[in-house]
Amino acid sequence: MWRYHTNKQAALSLKELRELAALSEGYSGSDVVVCCTEATMQILRELESCEHFRLVTIGNLPFMQACANDDVGAIQVNPKEMPPEIMLPRKMRLDDLVRAVNQNAPTKDSKLCEEIDAFHGTFAEPKNSSKN
């Protein structure tokens, strides 16, 4: 599930995917989507607070990528004055996803699921019951 939802945003190794799977035990598919969205939002918030960017070209299209102030080609720019379509966010990393998982609890409560199963077990019809 993690590989599917992060495929275009992050290139995670199998080891990193297993780490995420272990960390997110009990998470539903929608919980994973929430974590991926939160990780993306963290990257965008980070981008919004950057002060230095450099021009990069992908294909024939120019983009501004956040960088350190001492990087080659770095210019100081207020990101709020830059058109958002030319801002190039960095790739998602494992630490972004780990932070998002730690901030978002699974919606499915295992104790509640056990209580529901017990409730259904109490009122379930016997499997071999005959109907009149």
Side-chain angles (χ1 to χ4, degrees):
M1 205 171 341
W2 283 104
R3 177 174 281 163
Y4 176 80
H5 289 295
T6 61
N7 194 24
K8 293 180 182 176
Q9 300 161 332
L12 300 175
S13 69
L14 188 56
K15 180 183 175 190
E16 291 172 324
L17 289 168
R18 286 185 178 143
E19 183 179 335
L20 273 173
L23 188 62
S24 60
E25 183 71 32
Y27 282 57
S28 68
S30 61
D31 294 332
V32 169
V33 170
V34 166
C35 290
C36 290
T37 302
E38 176 57 30
T40 301
M41 292 305 297
Q42 290 172 11
I43 293 167
L44 294 176
R45 286 189 288 272
E46 178 185 291
L47 184 64
E48 190 177 54
S49 66
C50 289
E51 294 180 1
H52 292 86
F53 292 83
R54 67 174 165 228
L55 181 65
V56 295
T57 304
I58 299 176
N60 291 329
L61 300 174
F63 292 95
M64 296 299 282
Q65 184 178 45
C67 65
N69 64 342
D70 57 351
D71 283 356
V72 174
I75 56 171
Q76 189 168 4
V77 180
N78 181 347
K80 293 183 172 128
E81 295 173 1
M82 214 182 318
E85 60 272 9
I86 68 165
M87 296 174 77
L88 184 64
R90 65 171 174 76
K91 288 283 189 185
M92 189 180 296
R93 301 182 307 242
L94 177 63
D95 63 303
D96 299 313
L97 292 162
V98 168
R99 190 175 322 122
V101 167
N102 288 332
Q103 292 174 348
N104 293 282
T107 55
K108 185 173 83 174
D109 181 357
S110 59
K111 184 176 181 216
L112 178 59
C113 290
E114 289 171 11
E115 291 173 2
I116 290 170
D117 288 344
F119 176 81
H120 285 295
T122 303
F123 295 102
E125 287 186 35
K127 292 185 180 190
N128 293 329
S129 68
S130 61
K131 301 221 175 190
N132 294 338

